[in-house]
Amino acid sequence: MNATKRMLLSGNEAVALAAIRAGVALGVGYPGTPSTEILESFSNLQGKAQWSPNEKVALEVGLGAAYAGARTLVTMKHVGLNVAADPLFTAAYTGVSGALVIVNADDPGMASSQNEQDNRRYAVAAGLPMIEPSDSQEAYNFFLDAVKLSERWNIPVLFRVTTRICHSKTVVNQNGNIDDAAAPNFIRDIKGRVMIPGYARLAHKRLRVKLAEIEQWNESAPINQEIRQSSELGVITSGISYVHVREAVPEASVLKLGLTYPLPMDRIREFASSVSRCVVIEEGDPCLTDAIRAEGIDIDSKQEAFRFGELNVERVKQIINDHKPIEFVRPPGKPPQLCQGCPHRNVFQALHDFDCIVSGDIGCYTLGVMPPFEAMDTCVCMGASIGVGLGLRHTLPEAQARRVVSVIGDSTFIHSGITGIAEMVYNPPSTGHVVMILDNGTTAMTGLQEHPATGRTLDHQRTHMVSMEKLCEAMGVDRVEVLEPTNFDAPLQSALKSNDLTVLIVRRPCILAAGKIRQYEKAITHEESCSCHQEQEHHESKSH
């Protein structure tokens, strides 16, 4: 790779390029805006990348690779880390042999999410170092730093990006050095990897020692940057907020933190005491503010109203001047809605016409809540439609319970709907239940990615396919039917009247994906045909 090459890259592309540069052996994740393009770019650069059924599985696969000594990349959006939290917390105890960098993309302002949680909280709760880049160059450089840090302390590293960093583009110089990755090799470490209570108690103490060492290293680490100018105003910041600060108050001295957990408190204290007024500028929750004030350091911070949504230059000026926020008025526009050609619009029309109580799920089908259908009554998180629907069925009067339908997409069903089916079979409501899986053959909401029920890998090559109908039958569902989106009214009405546990799989490809799916299948068929032909010629030549 040319060490002086300059490229215009998004933050997601910069992370992917750095992962290639670092010799990452495996990239694994679940698609979720704004992080989706990282693994796609990594794959396009010839990295080994794969989608997992959900974020928990992705982290577990990544953890296994890192146990084997490989450098590993795991990607997900902010709510995905909730799904992966179970292995995350214990991974902090077990540590890793190779580098494990977990890229986690927050979505302040909820451009495409159901909440705007600030995942810096996870670093503190789990006890893992957190690195935050401010632009694409830092996304590239800091990823290499994250690999080094992970390998030096044998600890997973959280790498937090936000929407602006993921999708905006800046120039990236491919500088920075990193040693070649060691060859994977399994070394038995039962006490370090098997977290029975006796071993876990010791592991927790080892983790706190590591964090203390990392905190001490962070006091003078080059990953943090100090810009000395005004002695009147100083700003402590991190991530994308740094870019806004530099434009809003160019005369201010700035302490930009690259490693935001554990924090270099001595350095922060020294910086704060060197200026007449020190203000913390951060997007989202007051994480830095709370930690710094807990140390008794005198700082100013933003008003509560600035906690919501993204920051920008104007809002930073308002914080600095202690003004109340001027609420942003969104220009009038066309409200989101299901695609006009979506084959599953009929389903939501029928659910509306039948006056169903609809327990909905995450994905483009969430738009069934919008006019003209208004056919969704709840939507909590990935996979929750089945569990929430069961709760409604268990407790509502029978007349209302028989109107309850759980609606979920195919990718979301694979992600976390399967355990809902297990619950339905194990604890069936007296009125039965109806689950509708709207199968459009792709992960539509995040940009038409593959999943285990499409039968194609991340790069659209053929692989084993999970059959949702056979899976539901094997789990003990009374009645499983595969239907066309133009012919399901009678089966739906019949299911609502019965006491059966029913799964109706309504199947037709997404209108945006259908053409691409045909191209993928044609390419696979052509490749398989050529392969068979070559194999036949090989056998014939040997027989002669």
Side-chain angles (χ1 to χ4, degrees):
M1 184 174 290
N2 187 344
T4 61
K5 190 173 182 181
R6 286 162 52 88
M7 303 177 74
L8 184 64
L9 299 176
S10 69
N12 284 345
E13 293 168 334
V15 168
L17 183 62
I20 291 290
R21 175 73 178 276
V24 166
L26 178 65
V28 59
Y30 184 81
T33 305
S35 66
T36 306
E37 298 83 5
I38 298 172
L39 282 192
E40 293 174 332
S41 298
F42 183 66
S43 177
N44 290 337
L45 293 168
Q46 306 306 310
K48 178 175 173 51
Q50 57 194 47
W51 295 127
S52 287
N54 65 32
E55 297 84 356
K56 177 177 182 288
V57 175
L59 180 53
E60 291 161 347
V61 172
L63 195 57
Y67 284 163
R71 288 176 177 169
T72 310
L73 162 68
V74 179
T75 71
M76 61 193 71
K77 68 181 297 180
H78 63 313
V79 289
L81 198 56
N82 302 337
V83 181
D86 203 358
L88 178 79
F89 279 64
T90 304
Y93 281 23
T94 64
V96 287
S97 299
L100 175 58
V101 182
I102 304 163
V103 180
N104 188 232
D106 281 6
D107 184 15
M110 295 178 284
S112 58
S113 307
Q114 66 269 41
N115 69 38
E116 55 180 342
Q117 69 190 48
D118 189 327
N119 276 7
R120 291 178 296 175
R121 304 289 194 191
Y122 267 111
V124 181
L128 290 174
M130 170 160 278
I131 289 179
E132 295 185 66
S134 296
D135 56 23
S136 299
Q137 180 69 68
E138 286 195 347
Y140 179 89
N141 291 345
F142 284 9
F143 186 88
L144 300 182
D145 291 334
V147 169
K148 295 174 190 173
L149 194 154
S150 181
E151 289 185 342
R152 178 173 175 180
W153 276 281
N154 300 118
I155 190 171
V157 173
L158 286 170
F159 193 90
R160 179 184 183 251
V161 287
T162 54
T163 309
R164 290 292 150 185
I165 296 167
C166 289
H167 291 159
S168 59
K169 292 192 174 186
T170 62
V171 172
V172 173
N173 289 295
Q174 297 178 43
N175 50 23
N177 296 315
I178 188 165
D179 295 337
D180 291 340
N185 179 40
F186 182 74
I187 299 174
R188 176 163 284 167
D189 179 13
I190 294 174
K191 291 184 178 180
R193 297 284 186 263
V194 182
M195 288 300 101
I196 58 175
Y199 299 158
R201 293 186 190 101
L202 296 173
H204 189 192
K205 292 178 179 176
R206 287 197 299 272
L207 171 62
R208 293 299 154 185
V209 170
K210 288 181 185 178
L211 290 171
E213 292 175 357
I214 295 169
E215 179 178 344
Q216 188 59 40
W217 173 81
N218 199 23
E219 292 288 354
S220 57
I223 198 170
N224 304 311
Q225 185 181 356
E226 200 166 317
I227 301 168
R228 283 288 179 184
Q229 296 190 122
S230 169
S231 60
E232 295 297 317
L233 177 64
V235 177
I236 299 173
T237 189
S238 66
I240 190 65
S241 301
Y242 166 74
V243 180
H244 303 320
V245 166
R246 292 291 287 151
E247 188 170 343
V249 281
E251 74 281 6
S253 293
V254 178
L255 174 58
K256 183 175 80 66
L257 300 169
L259 180 62
T260 51
Y261 184 79
L263 286 168
M265 284 301 176
D266 289 343
R267 188 167 185 174
I268 290 171
R269 183 178 288 103
E270 180 183 346
F271 177 83
S273 64
S274 69
V275 293
S276 301
R277 181 186 179 221
C278 185
V279 185
V280 172
I281 301 292
E282 57 186 326
E283 199 170 64
D285 290 354
C287 298
L288 297 177
T289 300
D290 291 349
I292 294 170
R293 283 181 173 159
E295 292 289 318
I297 300 172
D298 184 23
I299 53 163
D300 289 345
S301 184
K302 61 187 180 185
Q303 299 178 38
E304 178 69 7
F306 288 101
R307 185 174 188 153
F308 312 106
E310 291 184 286
L311 292 184
N312 55 34
V313 174
E314 188 57 36
R315 297 189 89 198
V316 168
K317 288 180 179 177
Q318 293 166 7
I319 295 172
I320 295 289
N321 295 319
D322 201 25
H323 291 166
K324 291 182 179 178
I326 300 172
E327 293 299 330
F328 174 70
V329 180
R330 292 185 180 277
K334 184 180 178 182
Q337 59 177 316
L338 285 171
C339 296
Q340 287 299 322
C342 175
H344 297 289
R345 288 174 68 93
N346 289 346
V347 173
F348 289 101
Q349 187 62 56
L351 293 169
H352 173 85
D353 294 344
F354 295 160
D355 193 25
C356 290
I357 298 172
V358 180
S359 177
D361 223 299
I362 301 295
C364 47
Y365 300 134
T366 312
L367 297 173
V369 73
M370 303 298 289
F373 311 111
E374 297 180 306
M376 187 164 293
D377 295 283
T378 70
C379 180
V380 181
C381 65
M382 294 280 275
S385 59
I386 301 176
V388 172
L390 290 169
L392 291 166
R393 280 265 180 173
H394 280 304
T395 52
L396 287 173
E398 181 174 344
Q400 289 187 336
R402 289 196 178 281
R403 294 163 48 204
V404 176
V405 178
S406 293
V407 177
I408 189 169
D410 49 330
S411 181
T412 309
F413 175 77
I414 294 293
H415 178 281
S416 49
I418 297 171
T419 47
I421 297 295
E423 167 66 14
M424 181 174 77
V425 172
Y426 185 56
N427 293 308
S430 59
T431 60
H433 189 43
V434 181
V435 176
M436 298 186 78
I437 303 175
L438 308 188
D439 181 4
N440 62 9
T442 188
T443 310
M445 193 67 165
T446 51
L448 309 178
Q449 286 77 32
E450 307 288 359
H451 61 71
T454 67
R456 294 178 298 275
T457 60
L458 182 146
D459 58 354
H460 315 297
Q461 301 301 306
R462 192 183 301 286
T463 187
H464 298 291
M465 181 174 75
V466 173
S467 167
M468 294 184 289
E469 50 267 43
K470 290 182 180 177
L471 179 65
C472 292
E473 289 170 352
M475 293 177 76
V477 175
D478 299 324
R479 177 176 162 191
V480 180
E481 295 186 47
V482 179
L483 306 167
E484 284 285 325
T486 54
N487 184 29
F488 64 89
D489 286 13
L492 175 58
Q493 287 181 304
S494 171
L496 290 170
K497 292 175 182 174
S498 80
N499 292 335
D500 290 343
L501 300 176
T502 303
V503 172
L504 303 177
I505 301 174
V506 186
R507 179 168 290 155
R508 185 170 289 182
C510 165
I511 190 172
L512 301 176
K516 293 182 178 179
I517 291 172
R518 284 195 292 271
Q519 290 178 6
Y520 302 149
E521 291 297 322
K522 187 176 180 181
I524 290 171
T525 302
H526 176 71
E527 190 172 318
E528 289 175 343
S529 174
C530 291
S531 177
C532 289
H533 183 66
Q534 289 173 351
E535 189 173 345
Q536 185 178 3
E537 287 183 339
H538 176 70
H539 285 305
E540 288 175 355
S541 66
K542 284 186 69 176
S543 63
H544 291 157

